[in-house]
Amino acid sequence: MAPGKKKASKSKSKGIGVDFRKVKHKVGRKLPPAQNVTKVEFKSKAIVLPGQSLLQNKDGCAVNQRRQTLKELLGQTTHYSERVRKESLFGIRDLISRHPKELASHSVSVIRNLSARMTDTDIGVRKALLLLFRSTIFPALPQEVMGLLLPIIMAHLSSAMTHLAMDVRLTAVHFLNILLQHYPMLLISSFKIQVLQYYLNYLGKGDSGGEDNSVILVTLKSLVRFLSTLQVDTFANQRKISKFTHSWLQKYDLHTLAPSATLEALHGYKSELSEPASHHAIQSEVSMGANESEKILEGLVSKLLDCWRRFLPEVCSTPNPDSTCLSCMIAVTKALTYIFQNLMRDAKTLSSTQEKAYRSLMHMSSHDGWMVFMPLRKKFLPILLHHLMPVFPMEAPPIHLPKVEDDLIALNVGMCEVLMHVIVPDTVQGDIDGCKDALDAILNYYVQFLHGMMLPSSQLSVSIIDTKLAEPHLKILLHFIPCTVPIVSWKWRDRLLQAFTRVFETSNAQSGTKLVCLSMMTKILSEEFQNSVCMKGTEMVVPLKYQQLWLQSLPKLLWELKHTHPPSSKVSMFLITFLIGSSSL
């Protein structure tokens, strides 16, 4: 090869005389940025203190530990960050504990801002709000102030009760329980229908079908607590006087006034509110409310029985029943008991508006009272016999489990209480199939329980007999003695009085069971009770031999009581005076 050509190839490889180099790129690879491209990325560091405002002068202002005012904390309750919202609630709790007057001065703004957090999406925020209401807000606000603020709370609570998220609805139940704890009469008098409708919707629309049993248990316990609050006579507690004085620009809620209440004017002219027409208007409002609540309560009965049918297989099909399901069934029996008591009270109120004071079903003994309850009995007794009697009473489990045994005892007592409220002995026998057999089974369990048999024996277990274990439940069942003894046959009456006398003689002198026994004796021996019971001829409700046994035990009881228990001593002295002065003795 010629020397010239060899030199040319060497200079070409070094790039001599080449203006641009050709770069080969692979297909799909991203091109690198040009050298003259302006970079727009930048980094910065800063110190952020959201909990403090160092630039403001807060000398003399009410602040919490982090020097935050109430206005700043209320503004942070709507922050987009869950952590900031939760910390603001803790800050409000700290500020109010340091400066209690801040809550009294800004109660409207505090309640308005905090109530909106009931539907917060973060469970930590709702728990912090629950703690704030329970420990700080509600204990400090009096009834008069809360009466004006309760509609604001209930507006947000209703939204939380019907929320699509299950955990929000569950937290709403806890908020309702706190209101029942601190302001029961305000809640019952103004929002009874609304809350009952919520429970009916929750149990009736299938919302609880796919939820965990523990969630349903919380709701059932809340329902029991609400129904127990309904037992208080709202009119007697809210209005203790029959006349009120009104002034100009003063508003009145007709639902909170007693049916017999009248308003007296300050000036010399007659007030329009004191006319008879307003009295009838108030009574019509009360009657309409009673009818609406009665319909909801009747609807709750069927929904509670649906819950009963759901949990029954999980309890009866295994020797070791689930504790949550057992607790749910116990709550169902308690709710049914309170419902029937309220229905009986409403029926008596509508049938006799001139009655001075209503008597609950537990203390009901007159024939007229039973007749008032007869339509409700015919409506509910068949379905109760169908659902409860096949498993009543629950037998002792084959495995000795104290917690399960205690729950089964409470369940039996609950079923007995429900059935005793709706089954009327010897008044309409034969109108409902199985009524006589059901009555015999209930009375047999009732007598055995008074003798100390907690759970009957099964094929694989022995019966449980313990009088001390029965003491908490005796106070409940003993109230049925006055309404059961006069209207059963002589056979059952003798067995009932014998068992009742045994409980009275064996119970401790200073116990609550002894006081209940004395109260039942006073009731069943009173002249008013004797006249109200439809007895044949000159038949005595309590035979003479049992009256003598009671009288012989009373002096010894007074000596044992001494000065330690004045209520029992007072009732004992009254009974001694009554029995000695009775012509039969």
Side-chain angles (χ1 to χ4, degrees):
M1 185 177 292
K5 292 183 179 180
K6 188 175 181 180
K7 291 181 179 180
S9 62
K10 187 180 289 188
S11 62
K12 185 177 180 181
S13 62
K14 294 181 180 181
I16 299 175
V18 179
D19 296 331
F20 300 98
R21 296 184 61 183
K22 186 177 181 180
V23 181
K24 294 183 179 181
H25 299 282
K26 293 183 179 180
V27 179
R29 178 173 294 182
K30 186 178 180 181
L31 294 175
Q35 296 181 356
N36 59 349
V37 173
T38 304
K39 296 182 179 180
V40 295
E41 296 90 359
F42 61 90
K43 296 181 180 180
S44 64
K45 296 182 179 180
I47 299 176
V48 180
L49 299 175
Q52 299 181 13
S53 299
L54 300 177
L55 299 179
Q56 298 181 5
N57 185 11
K58 300 179 181 179
D59 295 338
C61 297
V63 295
N64 62 353
Q65 186 179 6
R66 303 176 65 178
R67 294 189 57 81
Q68 295 173 293
T69 62
L70 183 60
K71 183 178 180 180
E72 295 173 350
L73 292 169
L74 292 177
Q76 292 178 8
T77 55
T78 58
H79 198 271
Y80 67 88
S81 175
E82 294 86 356
R83 181 183 61 82
V84 175
R85 296 199 301 270
K86 182 170 64 174
E87 290 181 353
S88 65
L89 296 177
F90 288 126
I92 293 175
R93 182 187 177 192
D94 179 46
L95 187 144
I96 295 177
S97 62
R98 294 170 180 267
H99 307 280
K101 294 183 179 180
E102 286 294 300
L103 178 61
S105 303
H106 307 88
S107 57
V108 177
S109 59
V110 169
I111 293 297
R112 183 183 293 112
N113 285 272
L114 295 183
S115 299
R117 295 299 96 208
M118 290 183 180
T119 56
D120 198 283
T121 56
D122 184 68
I123 188 172
V125 177
R126 296 196 304 273
K127 288 184 178 180
L129 179 63
L130 196 66
L131 178 62
L132 178 60
F133 277 153
R134 181 189 294 115
S135 62
T136 307
I137 302 296
F138 289 163
L141 287 178
Q143 299 279 339
E144 295 78 9
V145 177
M146 185 54 67
L148 303 174
L149 302 177
L150 191 59
I152 301 176
I153 298 177
M154 290 303 300
H156 294 280
L157 183 58
S158 300
S159 179
M161 287 178 176
T162 57
H163 203 274
L164 295 178
M166 184 264 292
D167 57 339
V168 176
R169 297 199 305 270
L170 181 60
T171 312
V173 174
H174 295 292
F175 285 116
L176 180 60
N177 290 338
I178 298 176
L179 285 173
L180 282 173
Q181 179 182 356
H182 291 88
Y183 310 101
M185 302 313 302
L186 291 177
L187 190 64
I188 294 299
S189 61
S190 302
F191 300 95
K192 178 179 70 173
I193 304 298
Q194 181 179 351
V195 177
L196 285 176
Q197 188 65 46
Y198 157 70
Y199 287 117
L200 181 61
N201 295 338
Y202 181 85
L203 297 174
K205 291 185 177 180
D207 295 341
S208 59
E211 294 184 357
D212 188 73
N213 293 338
S214 59
V215 178
I216 304 177
L217 178 60
V218 172
T219 307
L220 289 175
K221 287 184 176 181
S222 176
L223 174 61
V224 170
R225 187 168 188 172
F226 184 80
L227 292 173
S228 64
T229 310
L230 292 179
Q231 297 302 310
V232 183
D233 189 2
T234 56
F235 291 147
N237 285 288
Q238 288 179 350
R239 305 294 180 186
K240 297 183 179 179
I241 55 176
S242 59
K243 291 188 176 182
F244 298 88
T245 303
H246 74 273
S247 57
W248 299 110
L249 302 179
Q250 185 175 357
K251 297 181 179 180
Y252 298 94
D253 186 5
L254 297 180
H255 298 279
T256 60
L257 295 177
S260 60
T262 58
L263 294 175
E264 184 177 349
L266 289 174
H267 48 81
Y269 298 98
K270 291 185 178 181
S271 172
E272 295 182 358
L273 289 176
S274 62
E275 296 295 330
S278 64
H279 175 72
H280 295 300
I282 294 174
Q283 285 192 350
S284 63
E285 291 287 340
V286 173
S287 300
M288 292 176 60
N291 290 330
E292 188 174 358
S293 63
E294 180 180 350
K295 293 180 181 179
I296 299 177
L297 290 175
E298 292 179 2
L300 278 173
V301 173
S302 60
K303 302 311 174 185
L304 288 171
L305 291 177
D306 291 340
C307 294
W308 176 275
R309 188 168 57 249
R310 169 183 174 176
F311 297 114
L312 187 61
E314 301 183 23
V315 174
C316 298
S317 61
T318 174
N320 184 14
D322 182 67
S323 60
T324 304
C325 295
L326 265 176
S327 300
C328 289
M329 295 179 69
I330 294 172
V332 168
T333 58
K334 291 181 179 179
L336 289 174
T337 299
Y338 287 129
I339 286 176
F340 291 133
Q341 290 178 0
N342 281 281
L343 288 176
M344 182 63 185
R345 183 196 64 183
D346 294 340
K348 290 195 64 185
T349 303
L350 293 176
S351 63
S352 178
T353 57
Q354 303 298 328
E355 202 170 25
K356 293 182 179 180
Y358 67 86
R359 296 189 299 270
S360 65
L361 182 60
M362 288 191 289
H363 307 103
M364 193 64 201
S365 59
S366 65
H367 183 71
D368 296 337
W370 287 121
M371 295 306 295
V372 168
F373 192 67
M374 198 61 63
L376 299 175
R377 175 187 181 272
K378 291 183 178 180
K379 182 184 299 183
F380 294 117
L381 184 57
I383 58 176
L384 288 174
L385 294 179
H386 176 72
H387 286 84
L388 273 62
M389 287 308 300
V391 295
F392 177 79
M394 300 288 288
E395 298 176 343
I399 304 175
H400 177 65
L401 299 171
K403 179 63 171 63
V404 174
E405 293 174 354
D406 293 345
D407 290 341
L408 290 177
I409 293 171
L411 182 59
N412 281 341
V413 173
M415 286 191 287
C416 181
E417 190 177 5
V418 172
L419 293 171
M420 292 288 284
H421 273 87
V422 295
I423 190 166
V424 184
D426 290 348
T427 53
V428 283
Q429 291 184 0
D431 62 339
I432 299 176
D433 295 336
C435 182
K436 184 65 169 61
D437 297 336
L439 174 61
D440 291 338
I442 294 170
L443 293 178
N444 184 58
Y445 168 80
Y446 190 70
V447 171
Q448 289 182 355
F449 191 90
L450 294 181
H451 281 291
M453 181 178 290
M454 305 295 96
L455 292 175
S457 61
S458 63
Q459 297 179 355
L460 303 176
S461 63
V462 296
S463 59
I464 299 177
I465 301 177
D466 187 358
T467 54
K468 294 182 179 180
L469 192 62
E471 187 172 357
H473 306 288
L474 282 174
K475 299 176 184 179
I476 299 174
L477 295 183
L478 286 174
H479 284 88
F480 291 100
I481 288 292
C483 65
T484 307
V485 168
I487 44 183
V488 295
S489 61
W490 273 105
K491 172 188 173 182
W492 282 115
R493 187 183 306 180
D494 186 71
R495 293 185 60 184
L496 285 171
L497 290 175
Q498 183 180 0
F500 173 76
T501 305
R502 177 192 171 278
V503 173
F504 172 68
E505 292 177 348
T506 57
S507 59
N508 188 12
Q510 300 179 359
S511 64
T513 305
K514 183 73 76 175
L515 180 58
V516 173
C517 291
L518 292 171
S519 301
M520 296 303 103
M521 290 178 184
T522 305
K523 181 175 180 60
I524 202 170
L525 293 175
S526 63
E527 294 182 2
E528 180 182 357
F529 180 84
Q530 299 278 348
N531 296 330
S532 63
V533 178
C534 298
M535 301 298 295
K536 299 177 182 179
T538 58
E539 234 177 69
M540 297 178 60
V541 177
V542 181
L544 188 60
K545 63 176 182 179
Y546 291 108
Q547 295 188 31
Q548 292 175 350
L549 288 175
W550 297 349
L551 181 59
Q552 293 173 3
S553 302
L554 292 175
K556 180 181 177 182
L557 176 62
L558 285 174
W559 180 80
E560 293 176 349
L561 290 173
K562 295 182 174 63
H563 63 281
T564 58
H565 207 278
S568 298
S569 301
K570 183 178 180 181
V571 179
S572 300
M573 294 175 65
F574 173 79
L575 282 173
I576 292 175
T577 305
F578 178 82
L579 291 173
I580 292 177
S582 176
S583 59
S584 59
L585 296 178

